[in-house]
């Protein structure tokens, strides 16, 4: 009898612990989290202010059989804030080859796996897309749990057009590669968003001003949702002047650059005259690039046009 009582007590304790494991706390109230169906859940987490977490995200993180994250120390801060005892395991670019198969195996065994990044939405500039691709290829269900996103927060706070936008991640660090990359976006009819570090923002704004023109509107969005959140808005020329003065910059940054202002298509004769003028002082490739910047026309189209002009002049 005593043996049965001890077993019952152990089972009761384990059940209580399991129930505590699947819960989260709001304002000192413990809220149970329902068990999740087997799937890979991509859970957006706060980019600064921990109060930005959604109720669905909390329930998913608390209820998942496995919780994977970039940095367990960072995720632990969020878990402690909301009384979640789910133990996180690391999944990041340095261990993806080893950790990924273990998470996929758990999915194959009918487990629920929640993936969070250090901040924001998984798969946006982190290695989570590899895991998602593998899960999809394996026929597993992938469920997005939407929420905070630094690019979207920057976009809506920048005051720039949001009807069409393009997020391009981080730019190259070297100046030439950075300018070449920016030129690829020069004529894109959409607001552009880039991640940037504080010690490179001055050089990046200067490069953008040179490539896009100093009158193009932009915003440097820093420390979003945090105590020292800042939106510095203006033209690229104005922002370049500000950072050229050696302003001290700290924190995470999203650079938002407005779209090219719509202009009437230049007359063919004017385009031909511009191409001939530029080609007198620079190689054809650079002439076409500069003409594209000034007119907004595609560089390849202008390069082909310049070739035709040269052939005609020589003929």
């Amino acid at each position: 009898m005593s043996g049965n009582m001890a077993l019952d007590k152990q089972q009761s304790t384990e059940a209580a612990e399991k129930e505590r494991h699947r819960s989260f706390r709001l304002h000192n109230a413990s809220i149970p989290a329902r068990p999740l169906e087997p799937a890979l859940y991509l859970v957006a987490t706060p980019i600064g202010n921990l109060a930005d977490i959604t109720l669905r995200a909390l329930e998913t993180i608390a209820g998942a059989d496995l919780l994977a994250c970039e940095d367990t120390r960072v995720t632990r801060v969020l878990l402690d804030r909301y009384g979640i005892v789910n133990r996180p395991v690391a999944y990041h670019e340095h261990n993806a080859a080893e950790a990924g198969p273990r998470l996929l195996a758990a999915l194959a065994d009918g487990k629920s796996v929640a993936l969070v990044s250090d901040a924001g939405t998984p798969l946006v500039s982190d290695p989570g897309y590899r895991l998602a691709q593998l899960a999809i290829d394996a026929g597993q269900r992938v469920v997005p749990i939407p929420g905070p996103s630094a690019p979207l927060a920057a976009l809506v706070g920048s005051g720039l057009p949001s009807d069409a936008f393009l997020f391009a991640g981080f730019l190259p660090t070297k100046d030439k590669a950075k300018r070449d990359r920016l030129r690829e976006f020069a004529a894109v009819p959409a607001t552009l968003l880039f991640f940037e570090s504080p010690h490179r923002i001055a050089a990046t704004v200067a490069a953008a001003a040179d490539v896009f023109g100093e009158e193009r509107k932009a915003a440097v969005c820093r420390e979003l949702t945090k105590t020292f959140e800042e939106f510095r808005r203006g033209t690229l020329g104005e922002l370049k002047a500000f950072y050229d003065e050696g302003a001290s910059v700290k924190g995470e940054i999203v650079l938002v650059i407005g779209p090219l202002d719509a202009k009437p298509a230049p007359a063919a004769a004017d385009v031909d005259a511009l191409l001939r003028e530029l080609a007198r002082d620079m190689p054809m490739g650079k002439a076409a690039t500069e003409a594209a910047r000034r007119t907004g026309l595609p560089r390849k189209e202008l390069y082909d046009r310049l070739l035709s002009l040269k052939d005609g002049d020589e003929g």
Side-chain angles (χ1 to χ4, degrees):
M1 182 69 176
S2 61
N4 289 336
M5 291 180 62
L7 179 60
D8 289 343
K9 183 176 181 181
Q10 179 183 350
Q11 290 175 339
S12 176
T13 301
E14 290 175 352
E17 178 62 24
K18 189 173 182 180
E19 183 66 22
R20 190 173 76 88
H21 171 78
R22 296 185 186 276
S23 67
F24 59 94
R25 189 178 64 246
L26 280 178
H27 304 299
N28 295 322
S30 181
I31 301 174
R34 294 164 293 182
L36 300 173
E37 295 181 1
L40 173 62
Y41 295 85
L42 307 175
V43 187
T45 54
I47 59 176
N49 191 323
L50 293 182
D52 289 337
I53 192 76
T54 69
L55 291 176
R56 188 182 178 201
L58 288 173
E59 185 170 42
T60 302
I61 293 171
D65 295 316
L66 279 175
L67 173 61
C69 64
E70 280 188 271
D71 188 324
T72 57
R73 295 165 298 180
V74 173
T75 299
R76 178 53 61 193
V77 174
L78 178 67
L79 300 183
D80 290 346
R81 165 71 178 268
Y82 291 101
I84 298 172
V85 299
N86 205 347
R87 181 180 178 183
V89 297
Y91 175 81
H92 47 70
E93 60 180 342
H94 302 297
N95 78 341
E98 297 79 27
R102 290 198 293 270
L103 296 175
L104 290 172
L107 290 171
D109 287 342
K111 306 277 189 176
S112 57
V113 177
L115 175 68
V116 301
S117 59
D118 284 349
T121 302
L123 279 63
V124 179
S125 289
D126 73 26
Y129 75 92
R130 302 175 194 165
L131 184 63
Q133 285 179 329
L134 291 171
I136 291 169
D137 291 343
Q140 299 294 340
R141 186 178 173 212
V142 174
V143 181
I145 308 296
S149 169
L152 289 178
L155 177 66
V156 298
S158 69
L160 296 169
S162 58
D163 55 332
F165 58 90
L166 186 154
F167 170 66
F170 285 95
L171 287 164
T173 56
K174 293 186 177 179
D175 185 67
K176 182 182 184 305
K178 178 181 296 183
R179 290 169 184 266
D180 289 344
R181 183 72 170 145
L182 287 170
R183 289 188 185 99
E184 296 176 10
F185 300 118
V188 172
T191 295
L192 307 174
L193 300 102
F194 305 95
F195 284 158
E196 193 49 279
S197 66
H199 66 275
R200 289 199 298 263
I201 187 62
T204 295
V205 168
D210 291 343
V211 172
F212 298 141
E214 295 198 352
E215 295 306 311
R216 192 101 160 231
K217 293 181 180 178
V220 174
C221 311
R222 188 178 64 83
E223 290 292 85
L224 294 169
T225 79
K226 300 176 184 176
T227 302
F228 298 103
E229 177 181 85
E230 176 187 62
F231 290 91
R232 186 165 295 279
R233 308 174 182 92
T235 65
L236 283 171
E238 291 168 343
L239 293 173
K240 177 184 175 182
F242 174 79
Y243 291 109
D244 278 349
E245 293 178 357
S248 177
V249 185
K250 296 180 180 179
E252 298 176 334
I253 292 171
V254 181
L255 172 62
V256 186
I257 301 175
L260 187 69
D261 290 335
K263 297 178 181 178
D270 292 338
V271 174
D272 290 348
L274 175 63
L275 287 170
R276 285 193 172 100
E277 177 186 349
L278 294 172
R280 284 197 296 267
D281 301 320
M282 59 183 70
M284 290 180 57
K286 288 188 176 180
T289 298
E290 178 61 19
R293 188 183 72 81
R294 295 190 191 184
T295 64
L297 297 174
R299 179 187 180 281
K300 186 178 185 307
E301 176 184 317
L302 293 168
Y303 185 85
D304 292 342
R305 193 164 180 166
L306 183 53
L307 280 176
S308 298
L309 289 173
K310 281 190 167 293
D311 290 343
D313 292 342
E314 292 172 359

